[in-house]
Every structure is written in C-alpha cells, then in structure tokens.
Amino acid sequence: MTLTVNHLKKTFRDTTAVDIDSYSINEGEIVGIVGNNGAGKTTLFRLVLDLLKADVGNAMIQNIITSESEDWKQFTGAFIDESFLIDFLTPDEFFSFISKIHGISEQDCRCRLNRFDHIMNGEIIHVNKLIRNLSAGNKQKVGIIGSMLHNPHLLILDEPFNFLDPSSQLSMKKILYDYSHDTGATIIISSHNLQHTFDLCTRITLLEHGQIIKDVRNDEANLYKEIENYFVCES
C-alpha cells in the first residue's frame, strides 16, 4: 500500500507545522519518522488521515486523495492518541464495535485477538473494565490492537511505544515486524525511541520544523550514530 504526499503545507498562525513538497512511501516498507517535539510528525499524520485540512496540497493512499474520498479507510489502520478510543466501552465492546464496522464475524474477531495475547497479559479483554479506567499503557495497547483488527494494508501509529513497559515495548516491536513480514503491509510510525525505531524500520525519515531533512534506507553505515548526533546537537 503506497502513500504519497504532494506539496503539502499546514501553518498555525505564524508557525509552519508541515511543509513537504514531495514524499512517497512504497508498499511493504516500515518507515520510522523521527524528530524533536514540534517537528511536525503528528501534524503530518493528521493531514494524511484527513483529520486536519491542509492549506495547500494533498496526501494520497493508493492513489486516493484522502481529503476527497473515504475509500482508503477500508484498508488503513491508525492510532494517534486516546481520541481514537471510545472510552465508555470495555475493550471487548470496543473490539466488537470495530469488527462490526469492518464486517468481521465474532469468531474471526476472537481469532484475530489471539495474536495479541502475549501483549494483553490478561489485563484487557474479559476483565469488564471500561477503557477510561485502564492504565495509559493498556489504553495504548487497546488503540493499537483496534487499529490492526481489520488487517489493514497500511498502518499508521504515532508513538506506539509510549506508556509501555520494557517487556511490552519489545512485544509490540515484534508484533509490528511480524505483521509487516507476514502480510506485506506498509507501516509508518513516529517515535522518540531511536533504538526501537532503528530495530524495526527499513527506512528513516527525519523531520525538522515540518520539513524533511533526511530520508534514507536503514542500511547506511553509521546512520544510527548520525541521527543520534543530530539530536545531541539539537538539545
């Protein structure tokens, strides 16, 4: 599943949040978008997902302009923050709701949830607890699991390792890698965790003040050190 950004620009008063002339992500890539707070990572995701209106330009998923059609939603999954959850439902009810939207049977829903057993740790499903009463880490897990339940061809996750304990971070990294490897899905993440990003992603994009200043495959010698040094100099 491909993603293309064309002449995309978004400003908030005097601040340019995103200013990207051209950017393409190819089918099957796992792309890590990195940058300091305010670099434009979340704004870029919100523009791509038609949650914000661009001042100029557009984003296309599989040649569908996301601001002009909703067809791309059938094969796209995303979790940005808690606003993507329905917090007065239990996780079981939330997953059931998502399944009904995508025409997934109750039996298939249960089967798909099984692949997340080792990250749920018996704390999410069948506990009769509202999402709003879950820990921040478990809310994060519910959101990401929900975004993957319909087996999307494109998965967009903002800070997927946030709020997770070390064991859960490692499990999440494996889940995302295995999902891309087994299905050929395209995955795009933003993260402040450089080590997990480099371990998982096949391509790294560095944003600064809404612009792409580096975009390379994650096979360059000394790339990790170069990116790490960038953040040291910026601090």
Side-chain angles (χ1 to χ4, degrees), residues 100-142:
K100 288 176 181 177
I101 290 176
H102 291 284
I104 302 168
S105 70
E106 187 176 329
Q107 181 177 357
D108 281 348
C109 177
R110 287 196 300 270
C111 288
R112 295 184 188 197
L113 286 173
N114 286 339
R115 69 186 177 204
F116 301 104
D117 274 348
H118 61 292
I119 200 171
M120 291 192 285
N121 297 321
E123 298 176 340
I124 292 178
I125 59 174
H126 311 317
V127 295
N128 198 31
K129 199 172 186 179
L130 299 180
I131 290 174
R132 64 171 171 250
N133 295 327
L134 297 177
S135 67
N138 281 337
K139 287 178 184 177
Q140 183 84 346
K141 294 174 187 178
V142 169

Short mmCIF file of all heavy atoms in Angstrom, two decimals, residues 100-142:
data_model
loop_
_atom_site.label_atom_id
_atom_site.label_comp_id
_atom_site.label_asym_id
_atom_site.label_seq_id
_atom_site.Cartn_x
_atom_site.Cartn_y
_atom_site.Cartn_z
N LYS A 100 -17.71 -5.05 13.76
CA LYS A 100 -18.98 -4.86 13.05
C LYS A 100 -18.83 -3.84 11.92
O LYS A 100 -19.38 -4.02 10.83
CB LYS A 100 -20.06 -4.40 14.03
CG LYS A 100 -20.52 -5.51 14.97
CD LYS A 100 -21.53 -5.00 15.99
CE LYS A 100 -21.95 -6.13 16.93
NZ LYS A 100 -22.87 -5.66 17.99
N ILE A 101 -18.06 -2.78 12.16
CA ILE A 101 -17.83 -1.77 11.12
C ILE A 101 -17.17 -2.40 9.90
O ILE A 101 -17.51 -2.08 8.75
CB ILE A 101 -16.94 -0.63 11.67
CG1 ILE A 101 -17.70 0.21 12.68
CG2 ILE A 101 -16.42 0.25 10.53
CD1 ILE A 101 -16.87 1.29 13.34
N HIS A 102 -16.25 -3.33 10.14
CA HIS A 102 -15.49 -3.92 9.04
C HIS A 102 -16.03 -5.28 8.59
O HIS A 102 -15.39 -5.96 7.78
CB HIS A 102 -14.02 -4.07 9.45
CG HIS A 102 -13.31 -2.76 9.61
ND1 HIS A 102 -12.89 -2.00 8.54
CD2 HIS A 102 -12.96 -2.06 10.72
CE1 HIS A 102 -12.31 -0.91 8.97
NE2 HIS A 102 -12.33 -0.91 10.29
N GLY A 103 -17.20 -5.66 9.09
CA GLY A 103 -17.82 -6.91 8.66
C GLY A 103 -17.07 -8.15 9.11
O GLY A 103 -17.07 -9.19 8.43
N ILE A 104 -16.42 -8.07 10.28
CA ILE A 104 -15.68 -9.21 10.82
C ILE A 104 -16.59 -9.97 11.78
O ILE A 104 -17.20 -9.37 12.67
CB ILE A 104 -14.43 -8.73 11.59
CG1 ILE A 104 -13.53 -7.90 10.66
CG2 ILE A 104 -13.65 -9.90 12.17
CD1 ILE A 104 -12.44 -7.14 11.39
N SER A 105 -16.69 -11.26 11.60
CA SER A 105 -17.56 -12.05 12.46
C SER A 105 -17.00 -12.11 13.87
O SER A 105 -15.81 -11.87 14.09
CB SER A 105 -17.70 -13.48 11.91
OG SER A 105 -16.49 -14.20 12.06
N GLU A 106 -17.87 -12.46 14.82
CA GLU A 106 -17.44 -12.56 16.22
C GLU A 106 -16.35 -13.61 16.38
O GLU A 106 -15.38 -13.43 17.12
CB GLU A 106 -18.65 -12.91 17.10
CG GLU A 106 -18.36 -12.88 18.58
CD GLU A 106 -19.61 -13.12 19.41
OE1 GLU A 106 -20.71 -12.74 18.97
OE2 GLU A 106 -19.47 -13.70 20.51
N GLN A 107 -16.49 -14.73 15.65
CA GLN A 107 -15.49 -15.79 15.73
C GLN A 107 -14.15 -15.33 15.17
O GLN A 107 -13.10 -15.57 15.76
CB GLN A 107 -15.97 -17.02 14.96
CG GLN A 107 -15.00 -18.20 15.03
CD GLN A 107 -15.53 -19.43 14.31
OE1 GLN A 107 -16.67 -19.43 13.81
NE2 GLN A 107 -14.74 -20.48 14.25
N ASP A 108 -14.18 -14.63 14.02
CA ASP A 108 -12.95 -14.12 13.43
C ASP A 108 -12.30 -13.08 14.32
O ASP A 108 -11.07 -13.01 14.43
CB ASP A 108 -13.22 -13.51 12.05
CG ASP A 108 -13.36 -14.57 10.96
OD1 ASP A 108 -13.01 -15.73 11.22
OD2 ASP A 108 -13.81 -14.22 9.86
N CYS A 109 -13.13 -12.27 14.98
CA CYS A 109 -12.60 -11.26 15.91
C CYS A 109 -11.82 -11.95 17.02
O CYS A 109 -10.70 -11.51 17.35
CB CYS A 109 -13.74 -10.43 16.48
SG CYS A 109 -13.22 -9.22 17.71
N ARG A 110 -12.38 -12.99 17.59
CA ARG A 110 -11.69 -13.71 18.67
C ARG A 110 -10.37 -14.29 18.18
O ARG A 110 -9.36 -14.24 18.87
CB ARG A 110 -12.59 -14.81 19.23
CG ARG A 110 -13.76 -14.30 20.08
CD ARG A 110 -14.35 -15.43 20.90
NE ARG A 110 -14.87 -16.50 20.08
CZ ARG A 110 -16.11 -16.59 19.62
NH1 ARG A 110 -16.98 -15.62 19.93
NH2 ARG A 110 -16.51 -17.60 18.89
N CYS A 111 -10.40 -14.84 16.96
CA CYS A 111 -9.18 -15.43 16.40
C CYS A 111 -8.11 -14.37 16.18
O CYS A 111 -6.92 -14.59 16.47
CB CYS A 111 -9.49 -16.12 15.07
SG CYS A 111 -10.43 -17.66 15.23
N ARG A 112 -8.52 -13.21 15.70
CA ARG A 112 -7.55 -12.14 15.44
C ARG A 112 -6.98 -11.58 16.73
O ARG A 112 -5.82 -11.16 16.77
CB ARG A 112 -8.20 -11.04 14.60
CG ARG A 112 -8.60 -11.52 13.22
CD ARG A 112 -9.17 -10.41 12.35
NE ARG A 112 -9.70 -10.93 11.10
CZ ARG A 112 -9.97 -10.22 10.02
NH1 ARG A 112 -9.76 -8.90 10.04
NH2 ARG A 112 -10.45 -10.78 8.93
N LEU A 113 -7.79 -11.58 17.77
CA LEU A 113 -7.30 -11.08 19.06
C LEU A 113 -6.28 -12.03 19.68
O LEU A 113 -5.43 -11.61 20.47
CB LEU A 113 -8.47 -10.88 20.03
CG LEU A 113 -9.38 -9.67 19.76
CD1 LEU A 113 -10.59 -9.69 20.68
CD2 LEU A 113 -8.61 -8.36 19.94
N ASN A 114 -6.34 -13.30 19.28
CA ASN A 114 -5.42 -14.29 19.86
C ASN A 114 -3.96 -13.93 19.62
O ASN A 114 -3.09 -14.24 20.44
CB ASN A 114 -5.70 -15.68 19.29
CG ASN A 114 -6.97 -16.29 19.86
OD1 ASN A 114 -7.44 -15.88 20.92
ND2 ASN A 114 -7.54 -17.25 19.16
N ARG A 115 -3.67 -13.28 18.48
CA ARG A 115 -2.27 -12.97 18.17
C ARG A 115 -1.70 -11.88 19.09
O ARG A 115 -0.49 -11.65 19.09
CB ARG A 115 -2.13 -12.55 16.70
CG ARG A 115 -2.75 -11.23 16.34
CD ARG A 115 -2.67 -11.01 14.83
NE ARG A 115 -3.30 -9.78 14.41
CZ ARG A 115 -3.76 -9.55 13.19
NH1 ARG A 115 -3.68 -10.49 12.28
NH2 ARG A 115 -4.32 -8.40 12.88
N PHE A 116 -2.58 -11.24 19.84
CA PHE A 116 -2.13 -10.19 20.77
C PHE A 116 -2.14 -10.66 22.22
O PHE A 116 -1.91 -9.86 23.12
CB PHE A 116 -3.02 -8.95 20.64
CG PHE A 116 -3.06 -8.36 19.25
CD1 PHE A 116 -4.16 -8.56 18.43
CD2 PHE A 116 -1.99 -7.62 18.78
CE1 PHE A 116 -4.21 -8.01 17.15
CE2 PHE A 116 -2.03 -7.06 17.51
CZ PHE A 116 -3.13 -7.26 16.69
N ASP A 117 -2.38 -11.95 22.44
CA ASP A 117 -2.50 -12.47 23.81
C ASP A 117 -1.29 -12.10 24.67
O ASP A 117 -1.42 -11.70 25.83
CB ASP A 117 -2.66 -14.00 23.79
CG ASP A 117 -4.11 -14.42 23.64
OD1 ASP A 117 -4.99 -13.55 23.78
OD2 ASP A 117 -4.36 -15.61 23.37
N HIS A 118 -0.10 -12.26 24.11
CA HIS A 118 1.10 -12.09 24.91
C HIS A 118 1.38 -10.64 25.27
O HIS A 118 2.19 -10.37 26.16
CB HIS A 118 2.32 -12.70 24.20
CG HIS A 118 2.65 -12.08 22.88
ND1 HIS A 118 1.84 -12.21 21.79
CD2 HIS A 118 3.70 -11.31 22.49
CE1 HIS A 118 2.38 -11.57 20.76
NE2 HIS A 118 3.50 -11.01 21.16
N ILE A 119 0.69 -9.70 24.61
CA ILE A 119 0.88 -8.30 24.99
C ILE A 119 -0.26 -7.79 25.88
O ILE A 119 -0.12 -6.81 26.59
CB ILE A 119 1.04 -7.40 23.74
CG1 ILE A 119 1.71 -6.08 24.13
CG2 ILE A 119 -0.30 -7.14 23.07
CD1 ILE A 119 2.11 -5.22 22.96
N MET A 120 -1.38 -8.50 25.85
CA MET A 120 -2.51 -8.07 26.68
C MET A 120 -2.36 -8.54 28.13
O MET A 120 -2.94 -7.96 29.05
CB MET A 120 -3.84 -8.58 26.08
CG MET A 120 -4.19 -7.88 24.78
SD MET A 120 -5.88 -8.17 24.20
CE MET A 120 -5.75 -9.85 23.59
N ASN A 121 -1.61 -9.60 28.34
CA ASN A 121 -1.28 -10.06 29.69
C ASN A 121 -2.50 -10.27 30.59
O ASN A 121 -2.43 -10.07 31.81
CB ASN A 121 -0.32 -9.07 30.38
CG ASN A 121 1.00 -8.96 29.65
OD1 ASN A 121 1.55 -9.96 29.17
ND2 ASN A 121 1.53 -7.75 29.56
N GLY A 122 -3.63 -10.66 30.02
CA GLY A 122 -4.82 -10.90 30.81
C GLY A 122 -5.41 -9.67 31.46
O GLY A 122 -6.24 -9.78 32.37
N GLU A 123 -5.00 -8.47 31.00
CA GLU A 123 -5.44 -7.23 31.64
C GLU A 123 -6.40 -6.41 30.79
O GLU A 123 -6.80 -5.33 31.20
CB GLU A 123 -4.21 -6.35 31.97
CG GLU A 123 -3.24 -6.99 32.94
CD GLU A 123 -2.01 -6.13 33.16
OE1 GLU A 123 -1.74 -5.25 32.30
OE2 GLU A 123 -1.33 -6.31 34.17
N ILE A 124 -6.76 -6.92 29.60
CA ILE A 124 -7.54 -6.09 28.68
C ILE A 124 -8.90 -6.71 28.36
O ILE A 124 -9.93 -6.09 28.62
CB ILE A 124 -6.73 -5.82 27.40
CG1 ILE A 124 -5.53 -4.91 27.74
CG2 ILE A 124 -7.59 -5.16 26.33
CD1 ILE A 124 -4.62 -4.59 26.60
N ILE A 125 -8.92 -7.89 27.77
CA ILE A 125 -10.22 -8.48 27.43
C ILE A 125 -10.71 -9.36 28.57
O ILE A 125 -9.94 -9.90 29.36
CB ILE A 125 -10.15 -9.26 26.10
CG1 ILE A 125 -9.12 -10.39 26.15
CG2 ILE A 125 -9.84 -8.31 24.95
CD1 ILE A 125 -9.15 -11.28 24.92
N HIS A 126 -12.03 -9.47 28.63
CA HIS A 126 -12.72 -10.29 29.63
C HIS A 126 -12.45 -9.82 31.06
O HIS A 126 -12.49 -10.62 32.00
CB HIS A 126 -12.34 -11.77 29.50
CG HIS A 126 -12.42 -12.31 28.10
ND1 HIS A 126 -13.47 -12.02 27.25
CD2 HIS A 126 -11.59 -13.12 27.41
CE1 HIS A 126 -13.28 -12.63 26.08
NE2 HIS A 126 -12.14 -13.30 26.16
N VAL A 127 -12.18 -8.53 31.24
CA VAL A 127 -11.94 -8.01 32.59
C VAL A 127 -13.06 -7.07 33.04
O VAL A 127 -13.07 -6.61 34.18
CB VAL A 127 -10.58 -7.29 32.69
CG1 VAL A 127 -9.45 -8.26 32.48
CG2 VAL A 127 -10.51 -6.12 31.73
N ASN A 128 -14.01 -6.81 32.13
CA ASN A 128 -15.17 -5.98 32.46
C ASN A 128 -14.77 -4.63 33.06
O ASN A 128 -15.29 -4.19 34.08
CB ASN A 128 -16.12 -6.71 33.41
CG ASN A 128 -17.51 -6.08 33.42
OD1 ASN A 128 -17.95 -5.54 32.39
ND2 ASN A 128 -18.20 -6.15 34.53
N LYS A 129 -13.82 -3.99 32.38
CA LYS A 129 -13.31 -2.71 32.83
C LYS A 129 -13.41 -1.71 31.68
O LYS A 129 -13.04 -2.03 30.54
CB LYS A 129 -11.84 -2.88 33.26
CG LYS A 129 -11.29 -1.79 34.14
CD LYS A 129 -9.89 -2.21 34.64
CE LYS A 129 -9.35 -1.22 35.65
NZ LYS A 129 -8.02 -1.65 36.14
N LEU A 130 -13.95 -0.52 31.96
CA LEU A 130 -14.09 0.48 30.92
C LEU A 130 -12.71 0.96 30.46
O LEU A 130 -11.76 1.03 31.24
CB LEU A 130 -14.90 1.68 31.41
CG LEU A 130 -16.34 1.40 31.86
CD1 LEU A 130 -17.00 2.70 32.32
CD2 LEU A 130 -17.15 0.75 30.74
N ILE A 131 -12.62 1.32 29.18
CA ILE A 131 -11.34 1.78 28.64
C ILE A 131 -10.83 2.98 29.42
O ILE A 131 -9.63 3.09 29.68
CB ILE A 131 -11.50 2.12 27.14
CG1 ILE A 131 -11.71 0.83 26.32
CG2 ILE A 131 -10.27 2.86 26.62
CD1 ILE A 131 -12.02 1.06 24.86
N ARG A 132 -11.72 3.87 29.84
CA ARG A 132 -11.26 5.07 30.55
C ARG A 132 -10.62 4.75 31.90
O ARG A 132 -9.89 5.58 32.45
CB ARG A 132 -12.41 6.06 30.74
CG ARG A 132 -13.55 5.58 31.61
CD ARG A 132 -14.51 6.74 31.89
NE ARG A 132 -15.73 6.29 32.54
CZ ARG A 132 -16.93 6.27 31.97
NH1 ARG A 132 -17.06 6.67 30.71
NH2 ARG A 132 -17.99 5.85 32.63
N ASN A 133 -10.88 3.57 32.41
CA ASN A 133 -10.30 3.17 33.70
C ASN A 133 -9.04 2.32 33.57
O ASN A 133 -8.49 1.87 34.58
CB ASN A 133 -11.35 2.41 34.52
CG ASN A 133 -12.53 3.30 34.90
OD1 ASN A 133 -12.36 4.50 35.12
ND2 ASN A 133 -13.72 2.72 34.96
N LEU A 134 -8.60 2.10 32.34
CA LEU A 134 -7.37 1.34 32.12
C LEU A 134 -6.15 2.23 32.34
O LEU A 134 -6.23 3.46 32.29
CB LEU A 134 -7.33 0.80 30.69
CG LEU A 134 -8.41 -0.20 30.27
CD1 LEU A 134 -8.24 -0.55 28.80
CD2 LEU A 134 -8.36 -1.46 31.12
N SER A 135 -5.01 1.60 32.56
CA SER A 135 -3.76 2.35 32.64
C SER A 135 -3.44 2.94 31.27
O SER A 135 -3.97 2.50 30.24
CB SER A 135 -2.62 1.43 33.08
OG SER A 135 -2.35 0.47 32.06
N ALA A 136 -2.55 3.93 31.25
CA ALA A 136 -2.16 4.55 29.99
C ALA A 136 -1.57 3.52 29.03
O ALA A 136 -1.83 3.55 27.82
CB ALA A 136 -1.16 5.67 30.24
N GLY A 137 -0.77 2.59 29.57
CA GLY A 137 -0.18 1.56 28.72
C GLY A 137 -1.21 0.64 28.10
O GLY A 137 -1.12 0.29 26.92
N ASN A 138 -2.21 0.25 28.89
CA ASN A 138 -3.24 -0.64 28.36
C ASN A 138 -4.16 0.09 27.37
O ASN A 138 -4.65 -0.52 26.42
CB ASN A 138 -4.04 -1.26 29.50
CG ASN A 138 -3.30 -2.41 30.15
OD1 ASN A 138 -2.43 -3.03 29.54
ND2 ASN A 138 -3.62 -2.71 31.41
N LYS A 139 -4.39 1.38 27.60
CA LYS A 139 -5.15 2.16 26.59
C LYS A 139 -4.38 2.17 25.27
O LYS A 139 -4.98 2.04 24.20
CB LYS A 139 -5.34 3.59 27.08
CG LYS A 139 -6.35 3.75 28.20
CD LYS A 139 -6.43 5.21 28.63
CE LYS A 139 -7.37 5.39 29.82
NZ LYS A 139 -7.39 6.79 30.29
N GLN A 140 -3.06 2.33 25.36
CA GLN A 140 -2.23 2.33 24.17
C GLN A 140 -2.36 1.00 23.44
O GLN A 140 -2.49 0.95 22.20
CB GLN A 140 -0.77 2.59 24.57
CG GLN A 140 0.22 2.67 23.42
CD GLN A 140 0.27 4.05 22.80
OE1 GLN A 140 -0.60 4.89 23.05
NE2 GLN A 140 1.27 4.29 22.00
N LYS A 141 -2.32 -0.09 24.18
CA LYS A 141 -2.46 -1.41 23.57
C LYS A 141 -3.82 -1.58 22.90
O LYS A 141 -3.91 -2.09 21.79
CB LYS A 141 -2.25 -2.50 24.62
CG LYS A 141 -0.84 -2.56 25.19
CD LYS A 141 -0.75 -3.57 26.33
CE LYS A 141 0.59 -3.53 27.03
NZ LYS A 141 0.66 -4.48 28.16
N VAL A 142 -4.88 -1.15 23.58
CA VAL A 142 -6.23 -1.26 23.01
C VAL A 142 -6.31 -0.50 21.69
O VAL A 142 -6.86 -0.99 20.69
CB VAL A 142 -7.29 -0.73 24.00
CG1 VAL A 142 -8.66 -0.60 23.32
CG2 VAL A 142 -7.40 -1.66 25.20
#
